[in-house]
Amino acid sequence: MLAKQELLGQLTNAQNNYVLGLAAMSLFAEPSSLDHLHKSQASFGSYTVKFDQVGSLLSSEATRQDAMKEFLTMLLRALLKESFEIVRDYAEKSKQDGVFRSQSWYQFARMIRNCISHDFHFRFTPHDMKKLPITWNNRTIEAGLANQPLPIAFLGYGGTWELFQEMERFAVTLS
């Protein structure tokens, strides 16, 4: 079984990755980063990956918006999905899954996790439909969202961070 310190360490890693990604987004917004990207590369084993592809994506306003949206989507997915899975796994293995499922944010986080784990669309089971609407932190998941994409603005940077913090605060309370 995962030790409590490992659980908290994994949550810290997920948090750090999100913050690193936000920092990268900030750096990508700097004009000087484009020159650097056009000249840089990563080498590992027998492979070399040039970053000029990223520089080109960010050089055009049209492709920058899409690239940054997709990057933010990946960050959101990584932080929330990983954190939910880590905490759920620990709660189940430590026989605290009932406490986990009773959290005020649990159903909201579970439905967000399901949405971002698949195709970023809300897909509700009959069980989910019985739970709707679900509100957390002034955000409501309702039946009308069925088969609709999750807009980034629904959570944004702040909501993503706040939902992570809910999971992290809960993890600290687990034995």
Side-chain angles (χ1 to χ4, degrees), residues 57-149:
L57 273 173
L58 299 176
S59 294
S60 160
E61 185 62 32
T63 56
R64 180 185 319 111
Q65 293 299 325
D66 285 342
M68 296 302 272
K69 178 185 172 212
E70 289 302 318
F71 190 65
L72 176 58
T73 298
M74 183 268 309
L75 292 175
L76 186 148
R77 181 186 305 116
L79 181 65
L80 294 181
K81 181 182 174 191
E82 259 186 64
S83 299
F84 187 87
E85 298 292 332
I86 291 165
V87 175
R88 181 180 67 183
D89 186 56
Y90 183 87
E92 286 175 358
K93 288 180 178 169
S94 63
K95 309 281 190 252
Q96 298 172 83
D97 49 323
V99 178
F100 176 58
R101 289 189 181 112
S102 71
Q103 297 304 298
S104 61
W105 47 265
Y106 169 77
Q107 290 297 338
F108 184 91
R110 182 184 67 79
M111 287 187 191
I112 292 292
R113 176 250 172 246
N114 290 347
C115 177
I116 64 179
S117 293
H118 302 291
D119 63 354
F120 259 80
H121 281 70
F122 286 102
R123 309 281 187 214
F124 302 127
T125 65
H127 172 77
D128 293 336
M129 293 299 281
K130 291 176 189 170
K131 304 267 183 205
L132 297 176
I134 295 174
T135 299
W136 169 81
N137 215 17
N138 296 321
R139 292 166 178 89
T140 301
I141 300 173
E142 54 196 2
L145 292 173
N147 300 313
Q148 297 299 309

Side-chain angles (χ1 to χ4, degrees), residues 4 7 87 90-91 94 96-97 99-100 167 169-175:
K4 173 84 174 266
L7 164 69
V87 175
Y90 183 87
S94 63
Q96 298 172 83
D97 49 323
V99 178
F100 176 58
M167 290 185 269
R169 279 192 294 271
F170 171 72
V172 168
T173 69
L174 293 170
S175 54

Side-chain angles (χ1 to χ4, degrees), residues 21-64:
L22 294 178
M25 288 182 72
S26 176
L27 291 171
F28 292 157
E30 293 293 321
S32 62
S33 69
L34 297 178
D35 289 337
H36 178 73
L37 290 168
H38 283 295
K39 295 185 264 181
S40 298
Q41 62 189 30
S43 296
F44 45 94
S46 62
Y47 302 100
T48 299
V49 176
K50 295 182 179 189
F51 297 153
D52 57 344
Q53 171 188 352
V54 177
S56 295
L57 273 173
L58 299 176
S59 294
S60 160
E61 185 62 32
T63 56
R64 180 185 319 111

